[in-house]
Amino acid sequence: MTEDARQLRARLRAAGLSNAAIDAAWPRWWSEDAESSRAARAELRFGIARRLGIDPRSLFEDDEAAPRFMWRDEARFKHLSGESQQELAGITSFGHSVAAALTGALKQTSAPRQLGDALTLRSAILHGSRPYVELLDLLALCWGTAIPVAHLRIFPWRRKRMAAMSVSSPPTWAILLGKDSRYPAILAFYLAHELGHIALGHVQADHQIVDFDDLGPSTLDRDAEDRAADAYALLLLTGEERLEVLPQDPVHVSAVELARTAADSAHQLRIEPGTLALMFGYSTGIWPVATAALARIYSAGFPVWRQINEIALQQLASDSLPADTADFLYAVLGAARNA
């Protein structure tokens, strides 16, 4: 172990890891004085390896050796587009590490209740005062069943393409979102899709499913698992396995008309207006109108990730984690943690 901290950073960057990921994993206690301590140098490497999902032995070997990730074969990847084996291993390992930090900070530590079928969950949500199922309802469902949900603000690689992943972290699971959106209905569908993977038994112990790029019922090249997760998501959000929103003249419908019709129909159909606009986009492929309608429904939108992660921070007992792990988790959630 002859390399110093600067050389270690360079080696991590040379492997393709993003500066943001390295900074998030780097402990705040590290200083130039720590460089003179062999024990401190060892703890630095063990901690970074743990937080980034790297085999720690690879950070103690030849200074020229590339870091080796701990996980790869445990994940199933959907909609790949040329990612290298190193990239896939890094995404899988990073996901495992973040999921372990989230589940380690859960206030509720008992095994989660079974999710059950989508229509039963939908009925339970609507049985109260809820007019329809929306993103906040899904977040409450997840946290209430000990399934943490976080929106990643830091990714292991410089190129971010991961849209969502479901991670088994016994005795529970975690859902990590990567898709950015200013409209809650879009992330509600992504979250419901991942819930479908979990509820339908697609995510086995210590494994995960990683969805790349865009999800949606109209996306081509869907495998059986994805089609089943789509159907689960639609049942949960709309009460229908397939939902087509087709005005009499979809080609000439305006965003103003679509937004108004969605708002007027929402309470009768018990489907959130944004979901109806989203289903119009999936049904017709006329996305400019659907997106413009979403902007009207949500008053031009907002960074939805903030809402998701604010709820996560409220639900987590971060003091139960080692300080360095808590710092890492806060950084991944895009939040500052007080000393």
Side-chain angles (χ1 to χ4, degrees), residues 62-327:
D62 186 330
D63 296 351
E64 300 298 320
R68 295 190 306 273
F69 291 98
M70 293 289 290
W71 292 281
R72 162 61 182 88
D73 295 335
E74 293 81 0
R76 295 200 302 286
F77 300 94
K78 312 286 188 176
H79 320 297
L80 292 172
S81 63
E83 287 77 13
S84 68
Q85 291 299 309
Q86 176 82 339
E87 286 179 305
L88 297 180
I91 290 167
T92 304
S93 300
F94 188 78
H96 267 281
S97 296
V98 174
L102 286 167
T103 56
L106 278 175
K107 295 176 182 177
Q108 177 182 340
T109 56
S110 58
R113 301 193 306 271
Q114 292 298 315
L115 286 172
D117 67 90
L119 284 179
T120 299
L121 290 178
R122 176 176 170 81
S123 296
I125 292 169
L126 297 181
H127 183 69
S129 59
R130 304 301 297 162
Y132 34 66
V133 178
E134 59 183 330
L135 178 62
L136 287 176
D137 299 308
L138 299 183
L139 291 169
L141 169 66
C142 289
W143 286 103
T145 52
I147 299 174
V149 180
H151 197 293
L152 300 182
R153 307 315 302 160
I154 288 174
F155 294 85
W157 306 117
R158 301 181 187 104
R159 181 179 69 142
K160 184 203 86 170
R161 278 200 58 249
M162 189 277 290
M165 69 169 73
S166 311
V167 185
S168 170
S169 187
T172 185
W173 300 267
I175 295 175
L176 308 179
L177 301 172
K179 173 73 173 179
D180 274 316
S181 178
R182 296 181 63 80
Y183 309 120
I186 293 176
L187 289 184
F189 182 85
Y190 277 70
L191 180 51
H193 178 95
E194 298 307 315
L195 273 171
H197 280 312
I198 292 170
L200 297 170
H202 299 163
V203 190
Q204 300 301 316
D206 293 319
H207 283 62
Q208 66 193 80
I209 289 178
V210 183
D211 285 303
F212 284 90
D213 220 344
D214 290 336
L215 298 174
S218 65
T219 307
L220 299 176
D221 192 27
R222 314 286 279 168
D223 64 20
E225 282 186 344
D226 266 348
R227 291 194 299 272
D230 282 345
Y232 189 98
L234 285 174
L235 278 171
L236 183 53
L237 293 169
T238 73
E240 304 287 342
E241 281 195 8
R242 293 182 59 84
L243 179 69
E244 290 192 341
V245 176
L246 295 169
Q248 289 184 341
D249 188 10
V251 175
H252 296 102
V253 70
S254 69
V256 174
E257 291 175 297
L258 179 58
R260 183 175 61 246
T261 301
D264 291 345
S265 305
H267 284 268
Q268 178 186 351
L269 298 174
R270 308 205 77 175
I271 301 173
E272 196 258 336
T275 298
L276 286 169
L278 196 61
M279 290 304 107
F280 170 86
Y282 287 133
S283 301
T284 66
I286 307 175
W287 284 105
V289 172
T291 302
L294 287 168
R296 290 182 171 274
I297 290 167
Y298 297 116
S299 302
F302 60 92
V304 182
W305 72 266
R306 292 186 184 277
Q307 184 180 54
I308 293 170
N309 287 352
E310 283 170 4
I311 291 171
L313 291 169
Q314 292 167 6
Q315 295 296 317
L316 294 170
S318 57
D319 290 345
S320 64
L321 296 173
D324 292 342
T325 302
D327 287 343

